[in-house]
């Protein structure tokens, strides 16, 4: 086995062997997370900086717990409490962080490509924790781990991803990773929320949700990100809920054993009804649980040894 | 330079060594009460399974069997790079138990140190005893085995390979000189 990546900037750059290795490693970490003492000394002496330019609870805490369970020292920096508000450029922030000699920087930024920019300027590893509308690789990998856990395999499964595809970095990371793993991906949303030409990445595009759900093994609902939309892309939230909300009768169109996923946070009553969100087919909290294991795997894999690049 | 390989234990030799270890374990622990076997992945857990069946043949009772993966407890992440992880599976409490830790080859002692750290994270055994099929010397830590199948003095550049068949049964032990 070998993992040749110094940085994790997106699933676009991961091969099926890489993804397989990350998922297998995460699977083993799940055992540690179920122990009484949830800690191993693997990354003792390593420093991880969680650099979050955008608000995040789930991802930041998940990365922080992952680092701590591996015995690394983790430091959290949020943009609102840092020199960014004083006008410091990303370049200067990078140089200053570099001078503190961290081993890994986990970065979230509202600008697509910011982690790439940082990775070119610092000597340590960089993990993208979400950049603009571009990628959110750790989320896609935890999605795959959850799907594999339930279905036993990834290859050949059909996934319907429903919602604001244009603004969703999760959808993009999922699409890359799922295509690499041989899955069929259907992207569903109103025309205004599906970027033109995305079918070139191997997805089937639907505007009719009922059609897209037929026979799907996995239904993944995305949050309507009104905060990212300059001009609203839908006439009203109520109308959106009517055409693209997941309710029990819609879910019945999918495969009998289909699972329902959501990267969170959920807008109950908008993209997902409470009946479904709390129903037997939802695996949403398992996604959160798997998030810690996947992030432990990513930290472990980028922290080890030499990275010839 | 070509490798030369010498078989130092065949199937019968391994079986004799493990049978002796099984008897020694029972003698020292006065039977199987409170005893558990934990193999170090990946060779040690196969040998622990063998030992369990030998002990069952003698005592008529199966002792609990677990496996520990030490990848996360190794102290050489920086120099070796990340390694594939196995699973630690110890489906019984360790508190107060006499744990027989089993490995195939005892060398520097670092793997055993890592395994002991892992076990201590999982509980507080009454004691930990170490059983190995081959002790090849070159210890870097103050660790010794309580039960040894065969002592094989080796040079540092030599290697010991314990081979298992597809059913994870030990087939032979070879000394490899490069």
């Amino acid at each position: 086995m070998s993992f040749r990546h110094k940085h994790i900037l997106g699933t676009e750059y991961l091969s099926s062997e890489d993804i397989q290795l990350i998922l297998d490693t995460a699977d083993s970490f799940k055992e540690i997370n179920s122990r009484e003492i949830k800690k191993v000394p693997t990354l003792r002496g390593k420093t991880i900086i969680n650099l979050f330019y955008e608000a995040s609870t789930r991802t930041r805490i998940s990365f922080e717990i992952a680092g701590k369970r591996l015995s690394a020292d983790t430091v959290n920096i949020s943009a609102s409490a840092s020199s960014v508000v004083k006008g410091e450029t990303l370049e200067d922030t990078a140089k200053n962080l570099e001078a503190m000699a961290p081993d890994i920087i986990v970065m979230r930024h509202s600008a697509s490509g910011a982690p790439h920019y940082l990775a070119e300027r610092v000597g340590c590893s960089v993990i993208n924790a979400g950049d603009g509308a571009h990628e959110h690789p750790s989320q896609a990998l935890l999605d795959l781990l959850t799907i594999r856990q339930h279905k036993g395999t990834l290859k050949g499964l059909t996934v319907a991803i429903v919602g604001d595809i244009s603004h969703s970095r999760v959808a993009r990371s999922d699409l890359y990773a799922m295509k690499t793993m041989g899955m069929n991906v259907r992207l569903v949303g109103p025309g205004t929320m599906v970027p033109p030409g995305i079918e070139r990445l191997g997805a089937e595009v639907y505007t009719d949700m009922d059609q897209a759900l037929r026979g799907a093994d996995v239904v993944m609902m995305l949050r309507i990100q009104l905060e990212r939309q300059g001009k609203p892309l839908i006439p009203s939230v109520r109308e959106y809920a009517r055409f693209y909300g997941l309710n029990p009768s819609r879910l019945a169109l999918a495969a009998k054993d289909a699972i329902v996923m959501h990267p969170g946070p959920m807008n109950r009553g908008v993209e997902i009804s409470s009946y479904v969100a709390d129903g037997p087919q939802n695996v949403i909290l398992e996604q959160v649980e798997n998030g810690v294991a996947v992030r432990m795997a990513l930290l472990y894999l980028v922290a080890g040894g030499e990275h010839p690049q | 330079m070509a490798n030369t390989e010498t078989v130092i234990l065949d199937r019968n030799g391994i079986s004799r060594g493990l049978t002796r270890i099984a008897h020694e374990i029972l003698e020292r622990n006065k039977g199987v009460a409170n005893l558990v076997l934990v193999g170090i992945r990946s060779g040690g857990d196969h040998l622990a399974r063998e030992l369990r069946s030998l002990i069952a043949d003698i005592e008529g009772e199966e002792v609990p069997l677990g496996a520990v993966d030490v990848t996360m407890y190794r102290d050489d992440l920086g120099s070796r790079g990340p390694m594939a992880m196995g699973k630690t599976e110890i489906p019984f409490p360790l508190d107060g138990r006499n744990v027989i830790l089993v490995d195939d080859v005892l060398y520097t002692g670092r793997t055993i140190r890592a395994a002991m750290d892992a076990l201590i994270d999982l509980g507080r055994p009454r004691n930990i005893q170490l059983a190995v099929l081959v002790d090849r010397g070159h210890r870097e830590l103050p660790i010794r085995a309580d039960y040894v199948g065969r002592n094989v003095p080796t040079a540092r550049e030599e290697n010991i390979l314990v081979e298992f068949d597809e059913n994870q049964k030990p087939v032979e032990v070879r000394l490899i000189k490069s």
Side-chain angles (χ1 to χ4, degrees):
Chain A
M1 87 138 225
S2 64
F3 191 74
R4 294 277 164 195
H5 299 276
K6 180 175 178 177
H7 312 289
I8 306 282
L9 298 174
T11 54
E12 187 185 353
Y13 316 104
L14 298 176
S15 66
S16 63
E17 290 77 26
D18 292 333
I19 293 175
Q20 199 76 41
L21 173 64
I22 294 167
L23 299 188
D24 291 346
T25 309
D27 238 346
S28 302
F29 277 121
K30 285 195 70 167
E31 182 269 322
I32 292 169
N33 290 334
S34 62
R35 290 185 193 172
E36 204 166 310
I37 298 174
K38 301 173 186 64
K39 206 171 172 80
V40 287
T42 320
L43 297 189
R44 195 162 46 201
K46 305 266 182 197
T47 305
I48 301 171
I49 296 181
N50 292 321
L51 180 60
F52 277 64
Y53 282 86
E54 253 191 0
S56 159
T57 313
R58 219 174 311 253
T59 307
R60 187 182 57 72
I61 291 177
S62 187
F63 266 111
E64 191 178 349
I65 290 176
K68 286 192 192 312
R69 291 210 173 143
L70 293 170
S71 299
D73 297 309
T74 57
V75 183
N76 296 315
I77 304 174
S78 60
S80 58
S82 77
S83 297
V84 178
V85 289
K86 299 174 190 165
E88 186 172 74
T89 62
L90 182 55
E91 171 96 44
D92 285 334
T93 306
K95 281 184 193 152
N96 279 283
L97 290 177
E98 171 91 275
M100 296 180 214
D103 298 284
I104 302 170
I105 296 177
V106 178
M107 186 200 214
R108 168 167 290 191
H109 203 288
S110 57
S112 302
H116 296 69
Y117 182 88
L118 188 72
E120 284 169 13
R121 281 161 180 79
V122 293
C124 65
S125 293
V126 175
I127 298 180
N128 179 1
D131 61 333
H134 178 226
E135 280 229 39
H136 191 352
S138 61
Q139 177 69 41
L141 292 162
L142 73 87
D143 289 341
L144 291 186
L145 183 65
T146 312
I147 295 169
R148 195 176 76 167
Q149 232 163 259
H150 278 269
K151 302 288 176 190
T153 180
L154 294 172
K155 205 175 159 81
L157 293 179
T158 299
V159 184
I161 304 179
V162 187
D164 184 357
I165 309 294
S166 304
H167 288 92
S168 176
R169 51 197 175 203
V170 175
R172 219 166 312 272
S173 277
D174 268 327
L175 175 58
Y176 287 128
M178 287 171 176
K179 290 310 295 179
T180 303
M181 299 313 282
M183 299 166 75
N184 308 312
V185 182
R186 299 173 181 172
L187 300 177
V188 198
T192 49
M193 290 183 166
V194 179
I198 196 148
E199 56 275 4
R200 280 202 298 271
L201 299 179
E204 297 168 38
V205 173
Y206 291 80
T207 46
D208 181 337
M209 185 169 173
D210 291 359
Q211 233 176 37
L213 289 193
R214 274 201 184 100
D217 302 293
V218 179
V219 182
M220 187 178 297
M221 301 308 298
L222 302 174
R223 185 172 63 92
I224 288 298
Q225 305 187 48
L226 292 170
E227 79 275 13
R228 282 186 196 281
Q229 298 172 7
K231 266 197 294 186
L233 299 171
I234 45 172
S236 77
V237 167
R238 187 190 263 197
E239 187 176 310
Y240 180 84
R242 203 169 132 213
F243 286 101
Y244 295 100
L246 187 64
N247 53 36
S249 57
R250 278 231 168 88
L251 181 56
L253 297 170
K256 242 190 167 65
D257 60 348
I259 55 171
V260 176
M261 309 179 83
H262 195 301
M266 288 185 281
N267 292 319
R268 284 173 183 260
V270 182
E271 71 266 4
I272 191 164
S273 78
S274 277
Y275 292 109
V276 177
D278 302 325
Q281 284 166 276
N282 100 76
V283 296
I284 297 164
L285 289 177
E286 284 172 51
Q287 288 175 269
V288 178
E289 185 189 336
N290 285 334
V292 175
V294 160
R295 287 168 181 129
M296 285 169 84
L298 293 179
L299 294 173
Y300 168 64
L301 291 169
V302 298
E306 300 291 311
H307 297 281
Q309 269 195 356
Chain B
M1 208 167 72
N3 285 352
T4 59
E5 298 193 2
T6 320
V7 175
I8 50 175
L9 278 175
D10 59 10
R11 210 183 269 265
N12 288 333
I14 294 172
S15 168
R16 275 195 294 273
L18 291 177
T19 307
R20 180 168 48 73
I21 290 176
H23 280 286
E24 285 173 3
I25 290 172
L26 290 171
E27 198 170 320
R28 180 160 156 191
N29 292 280
K30 300 185 174 60
V32 293
N34 215 28
L35 206 64
V36 299
L37 288 166
V38 175
I40 299 177
R41 291 208 194 273
S42 59
D45 61 338
H46 305 328
L47 294 174
R49 207 173 309 119
E50 290 293 300
L51 274 176
R52 177 163 84 152
S53 89
L54 289 167
I55 289 172
D57 288 347
I58 303 164
E59 285 287 295
E61 205 178 316
E62 286 207 326
V63 296
L65 177 70
V68 63
D69 179 79
V70 301
T71 317
M72 288 296 113
Y73 288 84
R74 292 173 58 125
D75 52 11
D76 55 353
L77 177 67
S79 54
R80 65 164 162 84
M83 295 173 70
M85 273 178 75
K87 273 207 174 81
T88 292
E89 285 166 303
I90 302 192
F92 44 80
L94 288 174
D95 292 359
R97 310 302 286 269
N98 298 335
V99 176
I100 312 292
L101 189 59
V102 184
D103 204 1
D104 49 1
V105 180
L106 176 57
Y107 181 30
T108 60
R110 289 177 189 269
T111 301
I112 306 302
R113 196 270 319 155
M116 288 194 292
D117 280 353
L119 289 181
I120 287 163
D121 268 359
L122 294 169
R124 190 178 184 279
R126 184 166 169 269
N127 63 51
I128 299 175
Q129 300 160 38
L130 176 61
V132 297
L133 183 58
V134 176
D135 182 350
R136 62 166 291 195
H138 305 285
R139 216 75 79 241
E140 292 169 7
L141 297 170
I143 282 169
R144 63 163 182 79
D146 299 279
Y147 314 99
V148 181
R150 174 89 176 257
N151 280 297
V152 184
T154 57
R156 278 239 178 225
E157 56 278 11
E158 289 170 339
N159 236 323
I160 297 280
L161 180 78
V162 180
E163 195 169 290
F164 295 89
D165 64 15
E166 66 277 9
N167 300 317
Q168 279 88 43
K169 297 269 184 199
V171 178
E172 61 184 21
V173 179
R174 294 201 293 272
L175 175 71
I176 302 165
K177 295 182 185 179
S178 52

